[in-house]
Amino acid sequence: MTKHASKAPGQIIVVTSGKGGVGKTTTAAAVATGLAVRGHKTVVIDFDVGLRNLDLVMGCERRVVFDFINVINGDAKLNQALIRDKRIETLYVFPTSQTRDKDALKPEGVANVMQQLREGYDYIVCDSPAGIEKGALTALYHADSAIIVTNPEVSSVRDSDRILGILAAKSRRAELNQEPVKEHLLLTRYSAGRVANGEMLSIDDVKEILSVPILGVIPESESVLRASNTGTPVILDDESPAGRAYEDAVARFLGEQRELRFVAPARKSLFRAIFGRA
Amino acid sequence: MRILEFLFPKRTASPATAAIAKERLQVVLAHERSKRESAEIVPLLKRELLSVIAKYVAIKEDMIQVKLGRDGSASVLRINVEFDGLRKPKRARA
């Protein structure tokens, strides 16, 4: 790598939600991959100690040698623990440990690792565990910006509101009285058809309730399961609406203006209606 | 069957439950946010009150209670202060 020590410090992005199962790991993998595809040197970190899963979603589970806790305890160097992606040259995965010790991520150790990563990478994407306990707090503490992953559903929206409150009060930026963590809302598992039928909260509903700008809307899509089955970040699937919606979200994150896609209900074609392949 | 469903879609539209979800969320979040804000304000208010009161009376931290709550539709701020005795007034500086 020809990045010099003089480069601007990297930006830390936390992918968080409060609620589990809304698509944090899928999103962290997709966003990190999207940033790396655009040439930014990017590392994606699994903060879910005890429940390592980012490695599977990224497809590098058989290449894990050292993990986050090994680095914090000084049993391995940071560079030994980082796994270089086989598809994208500028992408690295930092796996977590499978220990059951909840206190394994010592704050000073994490701060030290984050500082080193800031120096060597353009973007550091932190995949937060669910909940509002220590693990989630550690994941969001160092963030410069946050991607709040929300499903258009009551419990997810409520938990997102909770985590927004925590970001504003408990992050490093809040404690140091710096400019607040930049918030982005990512709506996932969105079903335009159900919204049109009044069965699902719309983009505008969620935006109005949480008052956070929308970074993207990811349609409910079979391609997400297909991607995790094979360990391929869904953003690399250019054919799938979810992949393209993630690509739009990454472009918006980097400041591009892009219209929302896949937010209008698909019209049923006569062909599909007869032959029944959706 | 599918041809029939397409040509004659069922008219039994499901009720628009999203509107109910939105209203319930707005009510519960308004409540939770105000609780959160008071949780942030109360310790700050207590600390400042203490520093002012301590100039005039002998007081320890556990002798002041600050509670933000509701009484019917009104918000109520209850401040309860005990103290041991007055401090001797300092001479005003010339």
Side-chain angles (χ1 to χ4, degrees), chain A residues 137 140-143 166-176 179-181:
Chain A
L137 297 182
L140 67 77
Y141 184 74
H142 294 273
I166 292 171
L167 270 168
K170 300 258 168 90
S171 66
R172 179 172 163 274
R173 282 176 170 268
E175 281 183 3
L176 299 179
E179 208 181 303
V181 177

Side-chain angles (χ1 to χ4, degrees), chain A:
Chain A
M1 284 278 102
T2 49
K3 297 262 174 191
H4 323 108
S6 62
K7 83 162 196 62
Q11 202 190 126
I12 300 180
I13 307 165
V14 64
V15 178
T16 187
S17 68
K19 192 177 183 311
V22 296
K24 280 184 298 298
T25 302
T26 301
T27 298
V31 168
T33 306
L35 290 166
V37 164
R38 287 161 164 261
H40 301 289
K41 198 177 171 194
T42 305
V43 57
V44 56
I45 312 179
D46 192 345
F47 269 85
D48 201 349
V49 174
L51 295 170
R52 179 199 290 163
N53 273 323
L54 180 67
D55 57 340
L56 269 177
V57 174
M58 292 296 296
C60 62
E61 70 279 6
R62 293 170 65 180
R63 297 165 63 211
V64 175
V65 182
F66 295 113
D67 60 48
F68 206 161
I69 309 296
N70 293 140
V71 174
I72 284 182
N73 292 342
D75 300 329
K77 292 242 168 66
L78 182 56
N79 287 337
Q80 294 176 293
L82 294 175
I83 304 169
R84 187 182 193 153
D85 189 85
K86 290 209 161 155
R87 297 155 294 216
I88 297 127
E89 215 183 309
T90 47
L91 180 60
Y92 293 78
V93 180
F94 192 9
T96 194
S97 153
Q98 288 180 309
T99 175
R100 291 176 64 185
D101 175 10
K102 290 278 165 209
D103 297 323
L105 284 182
K106 298 185 202 86
E108 320 80 60
V110 175
N112 190 6
V113 166
M114 294 313 237
Q115 189 49 44
Q116 286 185 60
L117 291 174
R118 263 188 206 279
E119 285 161 17
Y121 290 81
D122 300 321
Y123 291 100
I124 300 119
V125 179
C126 304
D127 182 22
S128 171
I132 50 172
E133 306 297 313
K134 215 166 191 172
L137 297 182
T138 311
L140 67 77
Y141 184 74
H142 294 273
D144 300 306
S145 45
I147 297 177
I148 319 292
V149 183
T150 308
N151 292 166
E153 175 273 326
V154 285
S155 48
S156 175
V157 174
R158 182 197 213 170
D159 291 359
S160 294
D161 191 71
R162 193 79 199 279
I163 211 84
L164 284 163
I166 292 171
L167 270 168
K170 300 258 168 90
S171 66
R172 179 172 163 274
R173 282 176 170 268
E175 281 183 3
L176 299 179
N177 262 325
Q178 293 176 340
E179 208 181 303
V181 177
K182 192 148 194 270
E183 300 159 347
H184 306 271
L185 194 67
L186 189 81
L187 262 184
T188 56
R189 311 198 68 165
Y190 194 76
S191 170
R194 303 194 74 182
V195 172
N197 287 340
E199 290 171 37
M200 184 182 266
L201 291 167
S202 71
I203 303 165
D204 288 337
D205 289 340
V206 180
K207 207 158 67 176
E208 187 188 328
I209 295 168
L210 294 177
S211 42
V212 173
I214 298 266
L215 181 68
V217 177
I218 314 299
E220 171 86 66
S221 164
E222 290 168 6
S223 59
V224 173
L225 178 60
R226 217 159 42 224
S228 82
N229 283 344
T230 57
T232 318
V234 69
I235 198 169
L236 293 177
D237 182 355
D238 322 314
E239 306 284 303
S240 85
R244 284 182 289 163
Y246 270 118
E247 205 193 305
D248 287 349
V250 170
R252 289 188 204 103
F253 185 86
L254 295 170
E256 274 179 43
Q257 296 287 327
R258 287 206 184 173
E259 293 274 315
L260 287 175
R261 291 193 276 178
F262 320 110
V263 292
R267 250 180 279 162
K268 259 195 178 175
S269 72
L270 185 60
F271 180 84
R272 278 190 182 168
I274 294 169
F275 296 102
R277 282 270 311 202

